[in-house]
Structure formats: C-alpha cells, structure tokens
Amino acid sequence: MATGSVLAFWSVAFLLIAVPGADWAFTISAGLRGRSVLPAVSGLVTGYAAVTVVVAAGVGALVAGSPDLLTGLTLVGGAYLVWHGAATLMRPAAPDPQGAGPEGTEWRIFLRGIGVSGLNPKGLLIFVALLPQFTDPDGRWPVAGQIGVLGTTYMATCALFYLALGTVARGVLKGRPAAARSIGRLSGAAMAGLGAWLLVDRLFF
C-alpha cells in the first residue's frame, strides 16, 4: 500500500481525533475514576477495531449505500451517548485518592469504551465514508487489507493521543476534586448534548 495514502489519511484522522468530542469526554471522565486511563483507552481502541473489521468485510459499503441503516446506527449511537452522558452528569468523576476504583470498575469502563467508540457516529462516519476514499481498488493490496492498515493507523493514533490526554488531565486534576467534578459534569453534558443533537437531527430534519 502506498505510504502517501497512509500519511494522507493519518493527517486527516489526527485532525478529527484532536477535535473534542465524545471520546475526549469519556477518556477524561473515566481516567479520573480508576488508577489509569488504560482501561478507557483500551475500550475505545477495541471498539474501533470492531468497526475496522466490519468495514473491511464490506459491510461498510452496505451501510454507506443504505440511508435508513445509517440513520438507525446514528440513532442507536445518539441514544447511547445521551444515556452515558446523563449518567456521567449525575455522578461526575473525581480523582480516587486510593488510586483505584471499586472492584470491577475498570472492566465496566473498558466495556463502556467499546460502546462509546463502536457507536460513536463521528467514528462510524470516518470509517464508513472517509476511510474507503484512501484505498486504491487497483492497488497491489486487496481493499480489505488497505482498510485494515488504515484502521490500524487510526487506532494507534487514538491510543497515543487519548493516553496522553487522559494522563495529563488526571495529573492536572489530581488533588482538585471540585475542579474534577466540574470537568466531569461538562463531559457528561457534552456527551448528552451531542447525542440529543444527533437524535433530533435524524428524527426531525
């Protein structure tokens, strides 16, 4: 696969990752609850890995060609963001002075991370609509293989970016529980607001 195509996709993907959204809000909020941001970021990357496999298998083309199916996925993703954002808003995260949350917390954060990325409409659109544009049907690599490379590039960039983001946010907010709760509430409101906007946009416009 042409290195230029990978670099071109990476530059666009990095800009999209750097724009605050549901992944940002989830990473910051989840990182304050456990001993590290690793469970949250691992969940996000796993969700994107699942989307990569689906798109590489050809389902992405089916979704892109079916407005009703894409609308359905967007509604599910929007509803999930509203639910998760409301839960975060009502119970904002704060730094754990013990350095670890209750038993099972990290596993729940990991699973929620899969849901946030796997059902994130922005992520779905990137993989379904944007990623295939950087593939070459006449290239030496099969399209599925090219999608796999591009998807892996996106996942690696997400992992590094969100690990850094969550670690920095946790370090800055450690010892500042009031500020951490405020950030948690803002994160929850951002996720819920984004989800509500997606639901209204798809249902009424």
Side-chain angles (χ1 to χ4, degrees):
M1 184 175 182
T3 303
S5 297
V6 177
L7 291 176
F9 172 76
W10 177 83
S11 63
V12 174
F14 180 79
L15 291 175
L16 293 173
I17 292 170
V19 175
D23 291 352
W24 273 62
F26 172 73
T27 300
I28 294 173
S29 177
L32 294 174
R33 295 183 183 277
R35 62 171 59 91
S36 75
V37 297
L38 189 58
V41 176
S42 297
L44 291 174
V45 173
T46 300
Y48 285 127
V51 176
T52 299
V53 171
V54 168
V55 174
V59 179
L62 174 63
V63 173
S66 175
D68 290 339
L69 184 56
L70 185 58
T71 295
L73 289 173
T74 302
L75 290 176
V76 171
Y80 181 81
L81 290 178
V82 169
W83 171 78
H84 185 59
T88 303
L89 185 61
M90 290 186 293
R91 296 191 311 166
D96 188 339
Q98 302 297 325
E103 183 178 357
T105 296
E106 292 186 352
W107 177 244
R108 290 197 297 271
I109 289 175
F110 172 77
L111 293 178
R112 285 191 176 187
I114 295 176
V116 169
S117 60
L119 294 174
N120 185 348
K122 184 179 78 170
L124 290 172
L125 289 174
I126 290 173
F127 277 80
V128 172
L130 179 64
L131 187 149
Q133 297 181 31
F134 292 87
T135 62
D136 181 7
D138 299 322
R140 292 192 300 175
W141 287 38
V143 172
Q146 296 178 53
I147 288 176
V149 170
L150 296 176
T152 301
T153 300
Y154 186 86
M155 288 183 284
T157 306
C158 278
L160 294 174
F161 185 90
Y162 291 128
L163 280 173
L165 173 68
T167 301
V168 170
R170 181 175 174 81
V172 170
L173 296 173
K174 187 177 181 180
R176 299 180 177 87
R181 283 192 291 271
S182 296
I183 294 297
R185 291 191 179 97
L186 287 174
S187 298
M191 282 189 283
L194 175 61
W197 178 81
L198 289 168
L199 292 175
V200 171
D201 181 66
R202 286 293 176 176
L203 290 173
F204 300 106
F205 296 100

